[in-house]
Amino acid sequence: MYFFKRGTNDEFLYAFIFSFFLSSFLFINLREIKSWKYFETKSSLLKNLYSKFKDNHKSQILIIFLFLLISQNDILNYETIDTDINSYLATSKEILRGNLPYENQWGSKTPMLYVFYAFLIFLSGGSLVYFKLLNDLLLFLVALLIFYITKIKYENIGVKAFTTTCLYVSFMSFDWAKTEYSEIYVIFFLASSYLYLLRKSSNNVFKAGLLFSIATLVNQGSILFAVPFLFVIFKRVKNIGIEIIKFSLGVL
């Protein structure tokens, strides 16, 4: 169920993964400015491979998925749960017993987190290993959202979406950044909401507000993102008042 056994070279492995994608991210962003003229003077084979890869989004997503699977499951054979995850699991199991959130157990997060946790506990049959793998799937969905948001922001230039997403996944590969934390659930809804705002359609503003509302019900700290979200709406210029009303209705 795991790909790498932990040993004395773990720090080297993580440093290599992080350094590789950080350097790739910086290199690609710098080289984009010069339209990749480097490849025009080098091997035509390398140029052809790059040309095919930069437009092949399915291949990029597949590599992201494999990288996430490997980097997230290196300690699956004896991964422990910290106090936060332990308290989330205990509180969420009360929902499976037919109780409301906070009825018999208290947790510091808002109620939707425990509802989602209870759903994943039910799907995993109470197995921590399967629960972890289901959370990996959620992280992959977050990675896809980041991928498509970056594509829209950079108008499909080069492979910036690929390197940006891999850089994010590499950040999430450290032992202290595994996927069961509430922040991953929040990012899923915040990124979905932001993606709707980037797609300039009047109906999408209400949907963005609805997803933002769910984010606040997972972790109350996400309310801080109301300011940049409203700024994005202001940048749309057209019918600002109507769009803010639609966003607010979605939140309500």
Side-chain angles (χ1 to χ4, degrees):
M1 295 301 295
Y2 64 97
F3 293 86
F4 290 130
K5 289 185 178 179
R6 293 176 59 76
T8 57
N9 293 323
D10 289 344
E11 292 77 10
F12 172 78
L13 172 63
Y14 285 121
F16 174 78
I17 292 173
F18 179 76
S19 301
F20 174 77
F21 284 108
L22 178 60
S23 59
S24 298
F25 175 79
L26 295 175
F27 174 74
I28 287 174
N29 279 272
L30 290 173
R31 298 302 299 184
E32 282 289 357
I33 301 174
K34 299 181 180 180
S35 302
W36 288 86
K37 292 181 179 179
Y38 171 81
F39 289 102
E40 296 176 4
T41 59
K42 298 296 182 181
S43 170
S44 59
L45 176 60
L46 184 60
K47 180 180 178 181
N48 291 333
L49 287 174
Y50 169 74
S51 298
K52 293 179 180 179
F53 177 75
K54 74 173 184 178
D55 298 321
N56 193 332
H57 297 147
K58 291 183 179 179
S59 297
Q60 295 173 6
I61 291 173
L62 177 60
I63 293 175
I64 291 170
F65 176 74
L66 294 175
F67 174 54
L68 185 149
L69 203 61
I70 293 172
S71 62
Q72 283 296 315
N73 293 293
D74 61 317
I75 57 174
L76 192 61
N77 58 320
Y78 65 100
E79 180 180 0
T80 58
I81 52 176
D82 66 13
T83 53
D84 285 340
I85 308 303
N86 194 18
S87 64
Y88 300 161
L89 290 169
T91 306
S92 302
K93 291 192 72 173
E94 284 297 310
I95 297 177
L96 296 176
R97 297 187 181 105
N99 299 314
L100 293 173
Y102 316 123
E103 188 173 352
N104 293 318
Q105 296 277 357
W106 180 84
S108 61
K109 304 302 179 185
T110 33
M112 284 304 295
L113 175 66
Y114 306 115
V115 174
F116 291 133
Y117 252 65
F119 180 65
L120 294 185
I121 292 172
F122 174 76
L123 290 180
S124 64
S127 168
L128 282 174
V129 173
Y130 294 145
F131 180 81
K132 160 68 180 170
L133 292 174
L134 288 172
N135 277 273
D136 288 345
L137 178 60
L138 177 64
L139 179 61
F140 177 64
L141 295 177
V142 171
L144 285 181
L145 289 170
I146 293 174
F147 182 85
Y148 286 112
I149 287 173
T150 311
K151 272 184 59 182
I152 294 175
K153 294 290 288 184
Y154 287 102
E155 300 178 350
N156 296 326
I157 297 177
V159 289
K160 288 185 177 180
F162 172 74
T163 55
T164 300
T165 307
C166 285
L167 183 63
Y168 171 74
V169 172
S170 69
F171 271 119
M172 296 306 301
S173 68
F174 294 101
D175 294 353
W176 43 262
K178 297 302 182 182
T179 58
E180 298 94 333
Y181 291 102
S182 64
E183 287 78 8
I184 304 300
Y185 291 75
V186 167
I187 291 174
F188 173 76
F189 290 105
L190 288 177
S192 300
S193 178
Y194 183 58
L195 188 60
Y196 271 116
L197 288 179
L198 290 179
R199 296 173 177 173
K200 296 183 178 180
S201 171
S202 180
N203 294 329
N204 287 340
V205 178
F206 175 81
K207 297 175 184 176
L210 181 63
L211 290 165
F212 178 78
S213 179
I214 297 175
T216 63
L217 292 174
V218 173
N219 188 319
Q220 57 268 43
S222 57
I223 193 68
L224 296 173
F225 287 86
V227 175
F229 274 41
L230 289 174
F231 178 75
V232 173
I233 294 175
F234 273 107
K235 286 183 65 177
R236 294 161 70 102
V237 179
K238 188 177 180 180
N239 299 324
I240 293 177
I242 295 176
E243 292 195 340
I244 290 180
I245 290 174
K246 288 183 176 180
F247 184 81
S248 301
L249 288 174
V251 173
L252 292 175

